Amino acid sequence: MFKVKDRQNSCVEPFEFLPAKSGEVYALGEALTYTDKVTKCAATAKPTHICMGPGDGNVVPVMPVLATTRFEVPYDAKPTAGTAVTLGTAGLSVTATTTSGVFTITDVDEANGTACGYFR
């Protein structure tokens, strides 16, 4: 689950309610992409939004992904600080895979199994 760690500005990203892809269910903190409808993010795609709560089947509450926002997220395999890694298959974690990475790791907390970073 992607959680906001900190921001490089004093503004908070606004929540939006965007149309959901038919048949998809989204989890809090899940990475999503949006063109005409919100959909689950592929491992090597940069998400445009993060799910901020349950949808009603028609719309889903989201926040936009900005370069000024740093996220904390669990990892599937321990990544290395300074590398750009891919997303986990469910869009709720990151991997240690650096090929086509979209999430740049700034630091790793082994005790909690989390990494912090931003989408590039």
Side-chain angles (χ1 to χ4, degrees):
M1 164 163 130
F2 286 89
K3 300 187 297 187
V4 173
K5 175 74 172 175
D6 53 45
R7 294 176 172 90
Q8 293 177 3
N9 59 34
S10 60
C11 298
V12 175
E13 297 87 343
F15 282 19
E16 301 174 70
F17 291 86
L18 298 177
K21 183 175 179 182
S22 179
E24 283 191 349
V25 177
Y26 310 103
L28 177 65
E30 183 176 359
L32 305 170
T33 56
Y34 175 71
T35 51
D36 61 333
K37 294 185 187 253
V38 171
T39 190
K40 294 175 177 289
C41 193
T44 58
K46 178 185 173 191
T48 58
H49 294 82
I50 301 294
C51 180
M52 297 308 294
D56 64 4
N58 296 313
V59 296
V60 60
V62 298
M63 67 173 269
V65 170
L66 303 177
T68 54
T69 305
R70 198 164 63 119
F71 293 92
E72 177 181 273
V73 62
Y75 56 78
D76 298 336
K78 183 183 165 206
T80 303
T83 61
V85 298
T86 60
L87 304 180
T89 56
L92 294 165
S93 61
V94 293
T95 69
T97 304
T98 57
T99 304
S100 300
V102 294
F103 187 76
T104 301
I105 304 296
T106 57
D107 55 277
V108 177
D109 181 348
E110 282 188 77
N112 291 315
T114 59
C116 294
Y118 57 93
F119 290 100
R120 42 187 238 137

